Amino acid sequence: MELSVLTIKGEDTGRKVTLSDAIFGVEPNEHAMYLDVKLYLANQRQGTHKSKERAEIARTTKKLKKQKGTGGARAGSMKSPVFIGGGRVFGPKPRDYGFKVNKKTKQLARLSALSVLARENRLALVENFSLEGPKTKDFVNILSGLNLNTGKKTLLVTGSIDKNVVLSARNLQKVKVATANALNTHDLLNTDTLLLSEDGLQSLTQLYTAAE
């Protein structure tokens, strides 16, 4: 598959880049993508939920009423879960929701996601660019020049962290900037367009070529 290199105004530079089949031509593995996305979402959870069990409730343990003769069920401590304000049975406890996914499975998941984007023609390649300062309007103008709607999700992959580009895009709700080594399957599958800078594509190619 070939991609034309565009300027920030959306004009064709006349140069074309051939994408590696080892990265953008993999047969997508849905289960690997599922596991990697599940891991990503699990790691977003704080896991700090907690409710008190009966042993942790600060209440009297005095017997409420006599054992027999009241016509009702026998009752002891007010800490019992059957009373309002009592302890909770099998309530949530702080825990880590993370689980292990093999390194090669993660890599397969990301290659699968990249291949899905390539197969659906949701890739764009732009020449390297930088901004003079952090200004959202300048970044919006670049997206407009590339015919990318700010109302749709765009993931920009750069070769290195450009502070001005990151700050300019940060205020756009549906735009995300990442480097090649920070990409994850969730973000790749959750975007409408993957916008690659030339350096970003080169870093991506080197990253996955070295991992083979």
Side-chain angles (χ1 to χ4, degrees):
M1 179 180 178
E2 288 187 341
L3 277 183
S4 297
V5 181
L6 305 175
T7 66
I8 58 175
K9 294 182 179 179
E11 299 168 350
D12 194 339
T13 60
R15 291 182 286 120
K16 290 190 175 182
V17 175
T18 302
L19 300 181
S20 171
D21 287 339
I23 299 174
F24 295 95
V26 174
E27 183 63 32
N29 187 312
E30 290 188 5
H31 188 63
M33 290 190 285
Y34 159 75
L35 288 175
D36 204 20
V37 170
K38 183 180 179 181
L39 176 64
Y40 173 85
L41 294 175
N43 287 335
Q44 304 307 301
R45 301 187 67 171
Q46 291 187 16
T48 54
H49 39 43
K50 174 74 172 74
S51 66
K52 291 184 178 181
E53 297 185 349
R54 65 182 297 162
E56 299 167 308
I57 299 293
R59 263 187 170 181
T60 179
T61 55
K62 180 183 177 182
K63 189 168 176 65
L64 301 178
K65 57 186 180 181
K66 61 182 184 179
Q67 178 80 345
K68 304 174 71 67
T70 63
R74 53 196 173 185
S77 170
M78 280 289 286
K79 295 181 180 183
S80 171
V82 302
F83 295 114
I84 293 175
R88 184 172 174 185
V89 181
F90 305 128
K93 295 180 179 179
R95 56 166 289 196
D96 178 11
Y97 281 89
F99 57 95
K100 184 178 183 299
V101 174
N102 291 335
K103 187 176 180 181
K104 287 188 177 181
T105 304
K106 291 180 185 178
Q107 182 180 331
L108 175 59
R110 286 157 201 180
L111 294 177
S112 296
L114 289 168
S115 298
V116 168
L117 290 168
R119 185 176 293 185
E120 297 176 357
N121 292 319
R122 290 194 280 145
L123 296 177
L125 182 59
V126 66
E127 63 182 359
N128 296 325
F129 67 91
S130 60
L131 298 175
E132 294 180 358
K135 198 169 184 181
T136 303
K137 186 176 180 180
D138 291 344
F139 193 82
V140 170
N141 289 337
I142 291 174
L143 293 180
S144 298
L146 295 166
N147 291 323
L148 295 175
N149 189 347
T150 53
K152 290 192 173 183
K153 296 173 184 174
T154 301
L155 176 59
L156 170 63
V157 179
T158 57
S160 58
I161 297 174
D162 187 325
K163 187 177 180 181
N164 288 336
V165 172
V166 172
L167 293 176
S168 297
R170 190 171 63 177
N171 204 33
L172 299 172
Q173 187 177 0
K174 295 191 176 182
V175 176
K176 188 167 184 177
V177 180
T179 54
N181 58 357
L183 282 179
N184 62 74
T185 308
H186 176 272
D187 287 346
L188 289 170
L189 294 176
N190 195 38
T191 190
D192 292 308
T193 303
L194 178 64
L195 179 61
L196 298 162
S197 70
E198 289 184 279
D199 281 349
L201 177 59
Q202 186 178 357
S203 298
L204 197 64
T205 304
Q206 290 175 348
L207 178 67
Y208 289 108
T209 302
E212 289 179 354

